[in-house]
Amino acid sequence: DAGVIQSPRHEVTEMGQEVTLRCKPISGHDYLFWYRQTMMRGLELLIYFNNNVPIDDSGMPEDRFSAKMPNASFSTLKIQPSEPRDSAVYFCASGPRTPAGEQYFGPGTRLTVT
Amino acid sequence: GQSLEQPSEVTAVEGAIVQINCTYQTSGFYGLSWYQQHDGGAPTFLSYNALDGLEETGRFSSFLSRSDSYGYLLLQELQMKDSASYFCAVRDHNAGKSTFGDGTTLTVKP
């Protein structure tokens, strides 16, 4: 398997623009997670899905952030409008339904909002 | 809610043994995991403990004491490539999500 695929790998945008991050999870995994990582705040869980259904979005910072999972093979995280404080590395991870609940992370998208 | 504490930095020399501790306070507990993240890379899963005791995987071992809300990751025969950040993560009993600690940066010196 190719692992979790994320695109783009790097995104530079101006404040106020819409940003869409994409993720293809590992086939057969039940869970999909979106994280944000910064030096100041560490690794934060934004939202996660179970079988394409959003389960917990309490980590989504505000209404500017939205996430969708239209099918088992694809998810998006959208920021509209973007702000400089959104600059971070955004990881998508997927995981099987196992006791360990291990998560497999994608390479991340490094977002810079100027 | 969940809160985890782990040291921010640890330094050790090549060939040595190092232990990275993690204490947690949680409203629900299902298991403790460890992840490794190299600078510029993504976290990768290392180990998982649901029951008390030691789990060994090659040079790495992970320990859990549920009664003490405490666990540790033990790295033996340290190599330069082990320099990375190590995160403990508590799995919520209710679902598939985990809460990650702030990470411990391990520096291995020659």
Side-chain angles (χ1 to χ4, degrees), chain A residues 39-97:
Chain A
M39 289 294 292
M40 291 296 294
R41 300 179 66 90
L43 192 63
E44 302 174 276
L45 176 65
L46 300 177
I47 185 172
Y48 82 99
F49 297 81
N50 181 10
N51 291 326
N52 313 340
V53 176
I55 301 301
D56 184 349
D57 65 354
S58 60
M60 296 287 261
E62 48 199 271
D63 292 345
R64 297 185 298 106
F65 285 68
S66 62
K68 294 182 179 179
M69 191 166 186
N71 57 63
S73 303
F74 184 66
S75 177
T76 59
L77 178 68
K78 185 175 294 187
I79 308 172
Q80 166 64 18
S82 58
E83 296 182 3
R85 59 185 168 143
D86 301 331
S87 297
V89 179
Y90 291 80
F91 288 105
C92 174
S94 69
R97 187 182 299 277

Side-chain angles (χ1 to χ4, degrees), chain B residues 8 21-22 26 44 52 59 63 66 71 78 83 85 87 96 100:
Chain B
S8 58
N21 299 320
C22 174
T26 62
T44 57
D52 288 358
R59 294 187 297 114
F63 171 83
R66 295 177 66 124
L78 281 175
S83 292
S85 292
F87 296 86
F100 283 74

Side-chain angles (χ1 to χ4, degrees), chain B:
Chain B
Q2 322 274 43
S3 71
L4 297 92
E5 288 191 17
Q6 50 180 131
S8 58
E9 295 180 348
V10 173
T11 301
V13 296
E14 210 172 2
I17 299 172
V18 71
Q19 178 174 311
I20 299 174
N21 299 320
C22 174
T23 57
Y24 57 88
Q25 290 184 323
T26 62
S27 56
F29 180 83
Y30 202 76
L32 183 71
S33 297
W34 289 91
Y35 288 77
Q36 178 192 59
Q37 184 179 26
H38 285 100
D39 194 27
T44 57
F45 175 78
L46 289 177
S47 67
Y48 173 76
N49 295 69
L51 302 176
D52 288 358
L54 192 68
E55 296 282 342
E56 298 181 61
T57 308
R59 294 187 297 114
F60 294 1
S61 302
S62 56
F63 171 83
L64 176 66
S65 169
R66 295 177 66 124
S67 60
D68 295 323
S69 297
Y70 164 75
Y72 65 72
L73 180 69
L74 189 74
L75 298 85
Q76 303 182 72
E77 301 173 20
L78 281 175
Q79 302 176 8
M80 298 297 290
K81 66 178 181 180
D82 297 331
S83 292
S85 292
Y86 293 85
F87 296 86
C88 59
V90 169
R91 185 178 176 193
D92 190 294
H93 74 284
N94 194 35
K97 72 174 183 177
S98 294
T99 300
F100 283 74
D102 289 338
T104 298
T105 300
L106 170 64
T107 301
V108 180
K109 295 186 174 182

